[in-house]
Amino acid sequence: GVVVGGHAAHLTRQIFGQLWLWLAVHKNGEVILPSSKLPVIHDAVLRKFDLLDGVKDGLLENPTRCDFDPKVLACKSGDSPACLTPPQVDAVRKIYDGPRNPRTGERVWSPLFRGSELDWSFFIDSAAPIGIATSAIRDAVLKDPSWDYKTSGIDFDRHVALADQSDLARVNASSADISAYVKQGGRLILSGGWNNALVPAGAVVDYFGRVQDRK
């Protein structure tokens, strides 16, 4: 049997998820949503949904049941530490929705889930997107040393398609056909944290669903 914690197995899609998060909270390189407001969002989520599982314990058993809209925290006017400006509301919504193809609406990668807000600082406080994402697009997908996300931009349609067809796709371990392994008696256990912002649990759930669909 194999036990996998954190399903970081579909690199050609995960890099776009990581880029999406950074872009959602930065404009022209400047932070839109400061880390100091993450506890405000997190506390608002828990106040509304902590008791969904019948226990008030500061945890969400199933965040997919939560439909928290950050608009409820919108500032009445101006800005303050306890509310969100319109650009901040929009940024949080983008994080909860996750990266999508702007042409087809297809979900490119898992979103982050309600309740994960305290883990967002890793991309909010970073001066640039995570290095593996930008270097993968520049060197393995586009093979263009002059490409720069700041000046050339990221196309969540064309660049995603190119990544899936590139040499980089060889490292993906995302095939849903594990029938030969199962026939030999193999078992696969996947786990992921709902609050994991680097490798969101949706990657595990989506993969499990694709394996189930093949039966």
Side-chain angles (χ1 to χ4, degrees), residues 36-37 40-41 44 47 72-75 79-85 88:
S36 60
K37 293 199 176 185
V40 175
I41 307 168
R47 279 197 302 272
V72 301
L73 295 174
C75 300
D79 189 6
S80 82
C83 66
L84 301 179
T85 64
Q88 291 167 354

Side-chain angles (χ1 to χ4, degrees), residues 14-77:
Q14 185 178 348
I15 58 176
F16 289 98
Q18 293 166 341
L19 288 166
W20 178 272
L21 297 175
W22 191 89
L23 292 172
V25 296
H26 290 83
K27 184 176 182 179
N28 299 323
E30 298 297 324
V31 176
I32 297 172
L33 177 68
S35 292
S36 60
K37 293 199 176 185
L38 298 183
V40 175
I41 307 168
H42 185 69
D43 290 346
V45 171
L46 290 184
R47 279 197 302 272
K48 186 171 182 181
F49 296 105
D50 189 0
L51 281 171
L52 271 182
D53 58 4
V55 181
K56 188 175 180 58
D57 55 4
L59 299 173
L60 302 181
E61 182 178 330
N62 183 3
T64 63
R65 297 174 59 196
C66 305
D67 58 357
F68 174 78
D69 187 341
K71 188 176 181 180
V72 301
L73 295 174
C75 300
K76 302 302 181 183
S77 63

Side-chain angles (χ1 to χ4, degrees), residues 198-215:
L198 187 61
V199 186
V204 176
V205 176
D206 292 345
Y207 179 73
F208 177 79
R210 291 195 294 115
V211 171
Q212 290 291 95
D213 289 343
R214 289 190 60 88
K215 289 185 176 181

